Amino acid sequence: MDFTKLTQIQLSEDTEIKPFKCAEDDLNGFLFDDAKHFQKELMAVTYLLEDLQKNVTVAYFSLLADKISFNPDEKNVWNKLNRNIPNPKRRRNYPAVKIGRLAVNEKYAGLGVGTFVLDNIKYVFTTVKRLGCRFLTVDALVSATPFYEKNGFRFFTELDKDEETRLMFFDLKNFTD
């Protein structure tokens, strides 16, 4: 797929959302029914990846502030995280950005669009550096966990292994090394 033909825009109050449909009804509903409201209430910012020649939304993603906090019940995970952080810089909380939603139009599924989106998010937070952010987090649908694992995300805990979503994280330091 030629990603140079795609345009990324930030959703705004007057954005006309081009046709989009993915396999998850909840993700379709968020884009058309909730994304503008979340943005207006400063809860999440949504970006659209559009193919202007075909007049279609290829993918979208929403970002919001997050943090990873020490959980005494998950000391082994916390120890793994801390190993990559110099001793004097270790904290009980680390800055993160949560990928609240990420969806690819079903017509573009399997073409690498999702990985392209993740790589661009990683690039922005490691290169542009508009704010300090060590981790990306996502509450991934169980069906999406293989995709996130393939893109370097790891499970934060095993306590949610029987839930509909799994908390996963990506250490942005791994993207810059």
Side-chain angles (χ1 to χ4, degrees):
M1 168 153 203
D2 184 1
F3 295 113
T4 63
K5 294 186 178 182
L6 302 180
T7 303
Q8 180 178 302
I9 64 164
Q10 182 177 328
L11 186 70
S12 69
E13 196 67 30
D14 59 345
T15 300
E16 186 176 323
I17 301 171
K18 295 175 178 27
F20 177 86
K21 184 177 186 308
C22 72
E24 292 288 333
D25 288 337
D26 179 57
L27 294 171
N28 295 323
F30 177 82
L31 177 61
F32 291 105
D33 302 330
D34 299 324
K36 288 181 181 180
H37 178 71
F38 272 61
Q39 194 138 316
K40 182 179 179 184
E41 295 300 320
L42 306 176
M43 299 297 291
V45 176
T46 299
Y47 297 89
L48 307 174
L49 195 59
E50 299 178 330
D51 184 332
L52 299 177
Q53 292 176 338
K54 294 182 180 178
N55 194 41
V56 65
T57 300
V58 174
Y60 82 88
F61 61 97
S62 296
L63 302 176
L64 57 142
D66 197 13
K67 69 178 178 178
I68 293 178
S69 298
F70 173 71
N71 178 348
D73 296 331
E74 293 288 323
K75 287 182 182 174
N76 58 337
V77 174
W78 198 252
N79 289 336
K80 287 179 191 175
L81 285 176
N82 273 332
R83 274 189 214 124
N84 297 323
I85 298 173
N87 243 0
K89 303 297 180 196
R90 292 182 181 170
R91 303 285 182 260
R92 295 183 81 62
N93 297 292
Y94 292 115
V97 167
K98 181 177 284 292
I99 300 168
R101 303 284 195 291
L102 190 161
V104 175
N105 189 319
E106 62 189 6
K107 293 178 182 177
Y108 294 84
L111 300 177
V113 175
T115 296
F116 175 75
V117 168
L118 284 180
D119 286 348
N120 278 301
I121 293 169
K122 293 170 185 177
Y123 176 81
V124 165
F125 284 100
T126 58
T127 306
V128 178
K129 296 180 184 174
R130 291 187 179 168
L131 60 98
C133 174
R134 177 64 188 249
F135 298 97
L136 294 178
T137 61
V138 63
D139 292 320
L141 293 171
V142 170
S143 61
T145 58
F147 163 75
Y148 284 105
E149 284 183 295
K150 181 182 87 174
N151 284 282
F153 282 74
R154 297 189 342 220
F155 295 108
F156 192 75
T157 180
E158 288 300 314
L159 296 176
D160 61 359
K161 68 182 176 188
D162 296 324
E163 303 294 325
E164 290 180 24
T165 60
R166 299 284 314 269
L167 178 59
M168 299 180 80
F169 71 94
F170 179 86
D171 187 343
L172 287 166
K173 197 73 168 152
N174 293 334
F175 191 70
T176 60
D177 293 342

